[in-house]
Amino acid sequence: MAEKNVRGMRVAIVVTDDFEQVELTEPKKALQEAGATTTIIAPKSGRVQGMNHDEKADTFPVDLTLGQADPREFDAVVLPGGALNADALRVDEKAQEFVRTMDRQGKPLAVICHGPWLLVSAGLVKDRSLTSWPTVQDDIRNAGGLWEDREVLRDKNWVSSRKPDDLPAFNREMIAVFAESARQQKKVA
């Protein structure tokens, strides 16, 4: 469908060790099936460790480090969750600057589970509506954001979801928002 076309989009997936694996693999698969190119970006080179809840799962190759990645070369960003992943990324200055730059440029952002911690620490959630894993709601509210307990929530160019069970809705809305952004970029070009 034309309204779901993300063909040619370059999507950054920003993670570090101990991310919730399915929150990377399922959005990545959905994006690739819709025609986007995905790039795993992490603070360090090599491989990053996925988790199935609290058990180690697979490792994934890092395509670019945060030091190498230029947010201007990407059209959208995905932030998987996992408490340890999100807690480590939220204090990484390069990760904060990456999402700030993407947001300043009006590029779409999809975030799930504990992923909003990076947005909180980057100072981006004030007056934005989003959902997350329930334990993150106080951080979002304390940073001036509006938190709702919903399967998927869209606020302008942002899409957020609570947990792995929400992935079907998250992926549908992520593709829709990214496709809308791609159409707008084509009109500008």
Side-chain angles (χ1 to χ4, degrees), residues 103-104 106-109 119 123-131 140-141 143-148 153-160:
D103 189 63
R104 273 193 303 270
K107 294 178 179 176
L109 183 147
L119 303 176
L124 297 175
V125 302
K126 185 171 175 38
D127 299 325
R128 297 299 299 256
S129 295
L130 60 163
T131 192
I140 291 169
R141 288 182 172 134
L146 307 167
W147 187 86
E148 294 182 42
L153 179 60
R154 178 178 180 181
D155 179 7
K156 301 175 197 148
N157 60 323
W158 287 15
V159 175
S160 57

Side-chain angles (χ1 to χ4, degrees), residues 36-179:
T37 300
T38 60
T39 302
I40 295 177
I41 300 172
K44 63 178 179 64
S45 62
R47 299 183 74 80
V48 284
Q49 178 68 55
M51 300 291 287
N52 288 328
H53 305 293
D54 61 350
E55 295 182 19
K56 288 193 184 300
D58 301 318
T59 62
F60 295 81
V62 173
D63 299 309
L64 289 171
T65 66
L66 281 163
Q68 297 166 323
D70 181 349
R72 296 171 296 183
E73 294 178 2
F74 294 92
D75 302 305
V77 64
V78 175
L79 301 174
L84 297 175
N85 162 69
D87 195 44
L89 280 179
R90 77 180 302 178
V91 296
D92 187 301
E93 291 181 22
K94 289 179 181 167
Q96 290 178 20
E97 189 52 36
F98 190 92
V99 295
R100 277 190 210 108
T101 300
M102 296 289 284
D103 189 63
R104 273 193 303 270
Q105 294 173 352
K107 294 178 179 176
L109 183 147
V111 61
I112 188 166
C113 196
H114 290 81
W117 271 340
L118 175 57
L119 303 176
V120 167
S121 293
L124 297 175
V125 302
K126 185 171 175 38
D127 299 325
R128 297 299 299 256
S129 295
L130 60 163
T131 192
S132 67
W133 187 254
T135 59
V136 180
Q137 68 180 296
D138 288 346
D139 298 286
I140 291 169
R141 288 182 172 134
N142 289 338
L146 307 167
W147 187 86
E148 294 182 42
D149 184 12
R150 291 179 40 190
E151 179 181 49
V152 65
L153 179 60
R154 178 178 180 181
D155 179 7
K156 301 175 197 148
N157 60 323
W158 287 15
V159 175
S160 57
S161 281
R162 303 169 299 189
K163 57 189 175 183
D165 290 347
D166 297 338
L167 279 165
F170 177 73
N171 288 341
R172 276 192 311 275
E173 193 65 22
M174 172 187 66
I175 297 290
V177 170
F178 287 13

Side-chain angles (χ1 to χ4, degrees), residues 13 20-33 78 164 167-168 170-171 174-175:
I13 302 175
E20 186 65 38
Q21 182 165 310
V22 71
E23 294 173 0
L24 179 145
T25 57
E26 290 301 307
K28 179 177 173 59
K29 178 181 172 191
L31 286 162
Q32 289 174 333
E33 287 176 353
V78 175
L167 279 165
F170 177 73
N171 288 341
M174 172 187 66
I175 297 290

